[in-house]
Amino acid sequence: MNSALAGPHVVVFAMFPGIDALDVTGPAEVFAMTNHVLAGRHPGYEVHFAGEEVGPVRTSAGVRLHVEEAFCAQGPIDTLVVPGRIRVGPDGPEPHVDPAVVAWVGRAGASAGRVASVCVGAHVTAAAGLLDGHRATTHWATAGRLAADHPAVEVDPDPIFIRSGRMWTSAGITSSMDLALALVAEDHGDETALRVARVMVMYLQRPGSQSQFSVPLSTPAGSREDLRELRRWIGEHLDSDLSVPALALRMSMSERHFARVFRAETGSTPGAFVESMRLEAARRLLERTSRLAPDIARACGFGSVESLHRAFRDRLNTSPGEYRSRFRTAA
């Protein structure tokens, strides 16, 4: 919690045509609700919307937002928020990077207290040179391009938001509100952020390390219905014998043929897929329940607490206890 806030915290959104409306309105609503929750007892947020020209800006959804100040008129900024604009081209989603916006973000971001990029806004922030040497995320569909275009940025496509020093980046559009809540928590403490989340009927707070997509969603669907059904069955029977021999028998295949077909359909070995499913289930239980590690290990099919710890150490570089202490969200 930043107890040194002496006056309103100035938040400025960089506005430009075609931005995603929720990149702006989502975080803005979180800051506005925080002001209501604080009720004047502590300095809240003073939100501004700046663009190349004063006037309406048409978002990708067709909603018009109003730019109240020109880039050149901006004073000191505590938090600079950089939304994104994405176009769907023949090769998939493409982030839009406007040179004029990049130039201003570079200047304003250099002196801002912190910079928060929303979704593909990270491409703008990176183009301005602000993310060099930092770990960052963006929408999973453009993470590869961000890494290729900006090799000095350590891109991690998995988390929903990342903090690296004064640089904050978030994933897809709705994660902008998770990011805003984390900023509120840093400024005013977890209790204030929790009150804001309750009023807004939000889930406080999805941990920044939470994956942008679950294991089933991040694995190719494949063309075989029998393997899609097997993967659903695996998710419902994590405490069963899910070894290659057991799964091959269930599919009436030889072990070698099953392993080859499974990898061709999913891009993953059966063992790696099963461990990822078990790890995801264990993370959910640690985040949302008070169940003890031995119980979680049994329920998720790890068999022993030692195996559970090994999976967390190898895949997440932490322990189940440390993960729960950082990301527990259940009351």
Side-chain angles (χ1 to χ4, degrees), residues 111-316:
S111 59
R114 63 189 177 197
V115 179
S117 303
V118 179
C119 194
V120 297
H123 292 262
V124 176
T125 310
L130 297 175
L131 293 181
D132 287 357
H134 290 277
R135 181 168 167 259
T137 193
T138 187
H139 192 286
W140 62 267
T142 68
R145 178 166 179 170
L146 181 65
D149 290 349
H150 305 282
V153 181
E154 182 187 347
V155 179
D156 186 343
D158 195 45
I160 61 171
F161 67 82
I162 289 176
R163 177 188 181 181
S164 178
R166 68 186 186 93
M167 307 305 297
W168 296 67
T169 51
S170 71
I173 299 170
T174 58
S175 64
S176 65
M177 299 178 73
D178 299 287
L179 173 62
L181 275 175
L183 296 175
V184 169
E186 181 183 56
D187 295 337
H188 299 285
D190 291 336
E191 180 59 32
T192 296
L194 177 59
R195 291 175 62 195
V196 172
R198 284 173 175 164
V199 174
M200 299 186 71
V201 197
M202 288 180 63
Y203 176 70
L204 183 84
Q205 53 188 314
R206 288 196 293 171
S209 69
Q210 190 177 82
S211 179
Q212 292 190 36
F213 34 72
S214 66
V215 175
L217 288 178
S218 62
T219 306
S223 59
R224 295 183 56 140
E225 177 58 33
D226 57 348
L227 280 181
R228 289 198 293 270
E229 178 56 37
L230 177 68
R231 286 154 60 182
R232 287 191 289 268
W233 183 87
I234 288 172
E236 297 169 357
H237 298 83
L238 293 176
D239 58 347
S240 300
D241 179 3
L242 300 179
S243 63
V244 169
L247 294 175
L249 180 62
R250 183 174 183 82
M251 294 293 292
S252 300
M253 297 179 182
S254 70
E255 295 176 25
R256 176 178 291 183
H257 181 57
F258 167 70
R260 183 168 58 249
V261 170
F262 191 94
R263 181 157 199 150
E265 286 285 299
T266 68
S268 170
T269 65
F273 179 82
V274 168
E275 183 176 69
S276 294
M277 291 285 285
R278 284 172 166 162
L279 187 63
E280 182 176 289
R283 289 169 69 170
R284 286 198 301 268
L285 291 176
L286 287 167
E287 292 169 11
R288 305 175 189 178
T289 76
S290 299
R291 295 169 70 170
L292 300 179
D295 185 25
I296 291 175
R298 285 191 299 270
C300 298
F302 285 103
S304 68
V305 174
E306 290 74 19
S307 296
L308 177 68
H309 275 262
R310 188 180 308 114
F312 267 75
R313 183 177 63 250
D314 293 346
R315 301 285 289 273
L316 302 176

